[in-house]
Amino acid sequence: MARGKGEEGPHPVDRHVGRRVCEKRLALGYNQSDLGRALGLTFQQIQKYEKGANRISASKLWDIARFFKVDIGYFFEGLSGAQIAGLAEGGSDFDHDFPATRYTIEISRLAPQLSTRQQKLALELIRDMADRKETDED
């Protein structure tokens, strides 16, 4: 049963933690099956964790942190008390609507290695491609 779901889908904190798991998994070059095997889970369960559809238990998050060799706090980086309090009061959701893929992660990892001019050119190219995709879909 998907425990992380409310009326409007998974809880934002569950989505954030799941996204951090996904980002770290991709950055380390593992696929969902690799992580699943290491934890004694199916890749489908890893998918549910990463989407925030199923909450990750404390013991499973501990196992994931040990597998990735990170502190458990890694998965909560980017969350602030003010954001969480705002959510409790009906505030806006975290911005996790774009999918983390190995390509988006690699782009963000490589971008700082480019000169400022090259970064601007790459950004213009990506914006142009995104704009064209939107007009192609209309």
Side-chain angles (χ1 to χ4, degrees), residues 111-124:
Q113 297 175 26
L114 302 174
S115 69
T116 303
R117 183 177 181 283
Q118 290 171 321
Q119 289 178 22
K120 287 179 182 178
L121 288 170
L123 178 60
E124 288 176 23

Side-chain angles (χ1 to χ4, degrees), residues 99 101-114 118-119 122-123 125-126 129:
T101 65
R102 72 179 22 105
Y103 305 115
T104 59
I105 290 169
E106 188 167 2
I107 288 168
S108 65
R109 185 179 61 79
L110 292 173
Q113 297 175 26
L114 302 174
Q118 290 171 321
Q119 289 178 22
L123 178 60
L125 176 64
I126 292 169
M129 288 188 295

Side-chain angles (χ1 to χ4, degrees), residues 12 38-39 45 65 82 87:
L39 302 173
Q45 183 63 44
L87 289 169

Side-chain angles (χ1 to χ4, degrees), residues 29-98:
Y30 294 113
N31 62 39
Q32 290 173 333
S33 295
D34 296 331
L35 180 56
R37 273 191 298 279
L39 302 173
L41 301 170
T42 65
F43 79 90
Q44 293 95 333
Q45 183 63 44
I46 300 301
Q47 282 179 332
K48 291 176 184 179
Y49 283 165
E50 291 182 356
K51 290 179 183 176
N54 284 8
R55 289 182 176 156
I56 304 173
S57 70
S59 59
K60 208 49 87 174
L61 192 59
W62 177 264
D63 291 340
I64 293 168
R66 283 189 2 206
F67 180 73
F68 289 158
K69 295 179 177 62
V70 297
D71 184 74
I72 203 158
Y74 166 86
F75 301 107
F76 298 94
E77 288 175 7
L79 291 176
S80 72
Q83 287 174 314
I84 295 168
L87 289 169
E89 296 169 6
S92 63
D93 204 350
F94 297 112
D95 183 19
H96 289 311
D97 291 334
F98 62 92

